[in-house]
Amino acid sequence: MEADFARELRLLTNSLRYPTFRFIVIGHNRKSIITDVTAHIRAAYPDRPYHELRLSGKTYREIIDSLKGFQAGIVVIPDFDWLFQPGNEDVCIGFNQRRDALAKLPIALLCFVEPSGYTNLPKRLPDWWSLRSLDLEFQQETADEIPQFINSELEKSSLGGQTKEEKEAEIERLLEQLNTVEPGNKKLLLLLNDQIASLFYDLSRYDEAKSHWNASLAFARETGDIQGEGITLNNISQIYRARGDFETALTYLKQSLSIQQKIGDTQEEGTSLNNISQIYQARGEYETALTYLKQSLGIAQQIGDTQGEGTTLNNISQIYRARGDFETALTYLKDSLSIRQKIGDIQGEGTTLNNISQIYKARGDYETALTYLKDSLSIRQKIGDTQGEGTTLNNISQIYQARGDYETALTYLKQSLNIRQQIGDKSGEATSLHNIGAIYFEQNQDFEKALPFLWRAFSIFKQLGSPSANGTLQYLNIIRQQIGEERYNQLLQSLPETPD
């Protein structure tokens, strides 16, 4: 029972991550559940406006005016099934008809319904039922089965805020709290480690993220939290993907996907399918990647996972860009950007802005491309997305290189390379090394200066199984022809591990 309760609570918390409209139906069999769940939500999102609205005895107009007056935040309605009691038909009809107007507000309605009223909802409120964001069922047989973390003062993460400084402060606070948790409270230890790991991952601090996700995985398995195990396996895979270890990443993802399909965790299944696609895309297997992405998109749209939809649309665009279909790619990117801006997914917005820039660059519209890149860089630096920052700095360099401003291009590239080496982004490191080598190659035909960067890039790409190795190899073959086989081999033997 505890695992089910924790699973539902995790779904609820995740669904409220962004301050957009939500209509969430929460079935329950004990009044104490309302107190437990709302206490957890208030602790998880302490900075979000919080309201309680009791419907009992109110007129239709009083209910609507109250909701409009809230304007924003989380609204708990503990007696939502009062609408279905005899004599309240007019109130119920009026509330049903105001769905579209209220759905424009950035409020989350948490509507608690007892079992006897749950079956009435789709019949009496068909318009609202069609718009529901999430259905949850909380059941408790005895007070002893209530998870200990529900009312704990330790569970107060607001997901770290938006800026790098806020995330670092949140990490420090959570680490202090982690040290005060009783060893037997494994559910709370699981959640705290997961939150800490997510914040470290956001800041591209992969070793620390992996350590805490490994701890979460152990606690999930000890407590029998199958859903938590599947989610954590997926999360760990992203550490390996960021470092270019695609084979290990795929192993974790397939384990995660198997669990999610087995237990019917559709939302997380969509996430894993999306992440699997990125492995195949990195290998240049675009058709396979697109197959996984279309499955992921179908799930996201079916269950109303708007954030997942925005992510998947962005990733589909990259398949079409790789194929040279820039028009289709841009269509997907603009759809993705619209969703991400609407729901406040700032990190996702930074990614999509960066990717839009690459379409304009490919078209030769460097000024527009640079505008998108600077917007992306500003977001990524603000939120501490170090990996994204390295990517955007690299891409800015390519605009200056295309314009023939090689010194400025090298300045951005060296910043990008430093970041990527620091965080262990092997694929990104190889890209920056290749681009630096290409500038030395093209600028002054300085083959001997270009060779260390290009050779190191080629070695990494080859190790990763990346199709980019072929492009780097072409440069190396030209250098071999220009300086001769003997000199080429002498230089290779004298190369340091990392070029200056």
Side-chain angles (χ1 to χ4, degrees):
M1 183 65 68
E2 181 177 334
D4 291 339
F5 197 109
R7 174 185 181 278
E8 299 293 271
L9 194 62
R10 185 185 295 108
L11 287 172
L12 175 60
T13 305
N14 289 342
S15 72
L16 298 174
R17 183 167 186 170
Y18 297 104
T20 56
F21 175 78
R22 293 284 188 270
F23 175 59
I24 299 172
V25 181
I26 304 175
H28 68 93
N29 67 339
R30 295 171 65 93
K31 292 291 185 183
S32 62
I33 289 175
I34 300 175
T35 302
D36 295 332
V37 172
T38 54
H40 172 79
I41 295 302
R42 294 191 72 169
Y45 298 100
D47 300 326
R48 194 84 61 83
Y50 177 87
H51 318 278
E52 181 175 305
L53 173 62
R54 293 188 176 273
L55 305 186
S56 180
K58 288 186 171 58
T59 66
Y60 148 72
R61 177 53 58 191
E62 288 172 336
I63 293 171
I64 299 303
D65 287 347
S66 294
L67 289 171
K68 286 185 175 180
F70 295 145
Q71 289 295 311
I74 297 171
V75 181
V76 171
I77 305 179
D79 58 346
F80 191 72
D81 40 9
W82 175 83
L83 289 171
F84 312 136
Q85 293 180 7
N88 297 334
E89 289 81 3
D90 290 344
V91 181
C92 190
I93 291 171
F95 181 79
N96 188 58
Q97 292 174 342
R98 296 297 292 172
R99 181 199 75 166
D100 291 339
L102 294 173
K104 295 177 181 178
L105 300 173
I107 59 175
L109 303 180
L110 273 55
C111 303
F112 289 86
V113 180
E114 294 183 7
S116 59
Y118 199 89
T119 56
N120 287 320
L121 212 156
K123 301 174 185 176
R124 304 287 294 277
L125 294 174
D127 290 348
W128 281 96
W129 182 253
S130 66
L131 194 68
R132 69 195 189 283
S133 307
L134 194 64
D135 299 326
L136 299 171
E137 187 69 26
F138 286 93
Q139 298 283 331
Q140 290 173 353
E141 299 302 326
T142 67
D144 293 338
E145 291 181 351
I146 299 174
Q148 297 179 40
F149 62 82
I150 297 298
N151 291 311
S152 172
E153 285 298 313
L154 302 178
E155 174 58 17
K156 288 191 176 180
S157 173
S158 59
L159 299 173
Q162 297 288 6
T163 68
K164 177 182 178 182
E165 291 74 19
E166 289 172 337
K167 291 178 187 295
E168 288 174 340
E170 183 74 348
I171 288 171
E172 184 176 350
R173 187 182 69 80
L174 289 171
L175 285 171
E176 290 177 358
Q177 294 175 348
L178 186 64
N179 291 329
T180 69
V181 179
E182 292 292 330
N185 195 348
K186 294 177 182 178
K187 278 293 179 183
L188 181 53
L189 289 168
L190 186 160
L191 290 175
L192 285 174
N193 275 290
D194 178 68
Q195 290 179 344
I196 293 167
S198 296
L199 290 166
F200 277 130
Y201 181 81
D202 285 348
L203 297 175
S204 303
R205 293 165 62 176
Y206 298 133
D207 284 338
E208 293 147 306
K210 183 182 174 185
S211 173
H212 286 281
W213 268 327
N214 280 336
S216 285
L217 183 62
F219 289 125
R221 286 170 171 167
E222 286 179 34
T223 58
D225 183 353
I226 306 298
Q227 189 201 31
E229 180 180 355
I231 291 172
T232 309
L233 286 167
N234 176 82
N235 291 338
I236 293 173
S237 77
Q238 298 308 284
I239 302 291
Y240 288 100
R241 182 170 77 88
R243 289 178 161 168
D245 187 348
F246 300 135
E247 201 58 44
T248 304
L250 195 58
T251 299
Y252 275 96
L253 282 167
K254 287 183 176 179
Q255 292 177 43
S256 173
L257 182 64
S258 176
I259 288 173
Q260 287 149 3
Q261 290 176 332
K262 181 179 179 180
I263 68 175
D265 187 354
T266 311
Q267 182 171 7
E268 294 302 330
E269 178 186 354
T271 300
S272 291
L273 288 167
N274 181 85
N275 290 339
I276 289 172
S277 78
Q278 300 304 283
I279 303 299
Y280 288 104
Q281 181 179 340
R283 291 173 167 176
E285 299 178 39
Y286 300 128
E287 200 57 44
T288 303
L290 194 58
T291 299
Y292 279 102
L293 282 168
K294 287 181 177 179
Q295 292 179 55
S296 177
L297 182 63
I299 288 174
Q301 291 175 333
Q302 179 185 351
I303 67 175
D305 178 9
T306 314
Q307 185 186 14
E309 182 180 1
T311 299
T312 308
L313 288 168
N314 175 88
N315 292 343
I316 290 175
S317 76
Q318 299 307 285
I319 303 295
Y320 287 99
R321 181 169 77 89
R323 290 172 166 175
D325 186 350
F326 301 130
E327 198 60 42
T328 303
L330 191 59
T331 299
Y332 277 104
L333 283 168
K334 288 184 175 178
D335 289 346
S336 173
L337 183 63
S338 175
I339 288 173
R340 287 174 149 177
Q341 289 176 332
K342 182 178 180 181
I343 68 174
D345 180 3
I346 297 179
Q347 185 166 15
E349 180 183 355
T351 298
T352 302
L353 287 168
N354 176 87
N355 292 339
I356 290 174
S357 77
Q358 299 307 285
I359 303 298
Y360 287 101
K361 173 181 175 288
R363 291 173 168 175
D365 186 350
Y366 300 134
E367 199 58 43
T368 303
L370 196 57
T371 299
Y372 278 102
L373 283 167
K374 288 182 176 178
D375 289 345
S376 173
L377 183 63
S378 175
I379 287 173
R380 288 173 151 176
Q381 289 176 332
K382 178 181 178 182
I383 67 175
D385 178 8
T386 313
Q387 184 183 33
E389 182 182 358
T391 299
T392 304
L393 287 167
N394 176 87
N395 292 343
I396 290 174
S397 78
Q398 300 304 283
I399 302 297
Y400 287 102
Q401 180 179 350
R403 289 173 167 175
D405 186 349
Y406 296 118
E407 285 307 313
T408 304
L410 280 172
T411 298
Y412 279 103
L413 276 171
K414 288 178 179 178
Q415 292 177 49
S416 172
L417 179 62
N418 181 58
I419 287 173
R420 287 167 153 178
Q421 289 176 332
Q422 184 179 352
I423 67 174
D425 177 3
K426 302 303 291 184
S427 179
E429 177 185 356
T431 299
S432 294
L433 286 166
H434 170 96
N435 291 337
I436 291 172
I439 286 180
Y440 288 130
F441 182 99
E442 296 169 7
Q443 183 182 13
N444 298 314
Q445 300 288 292
D446 193 343
F447 301 135
E448 294 193 5
K449 195 168 185 179
L451 181 60
F453 293 95
L454 291 168
W455 179 257
R456 178 62 179 154
F458 173 71
S459 300
I460 296 173
F461 280 139
K462 188 176 179 181
Q463 178 187 356
L464 299 178
S466 171
S468 297
N470 295 328
T472 310
L473 183 59
Q474 291 178 13
Y475 276 97
L476 291 171
N477 287 336
I478 293 172
I479 292 175
R480 180 189 285 110
Q481 293 170 5
Q482 293 293 325
I483 65 177
E485 191 77 29
E486 184 178 354
R487 179 59 178 159
Y488 181 83
N489 289 330
Q490 287 176 350
L491 289 172
L492 286 185
Q493 291 173 6
S494 65
L495 291 183
E497 182 66 20
T498 302
D500 296 327

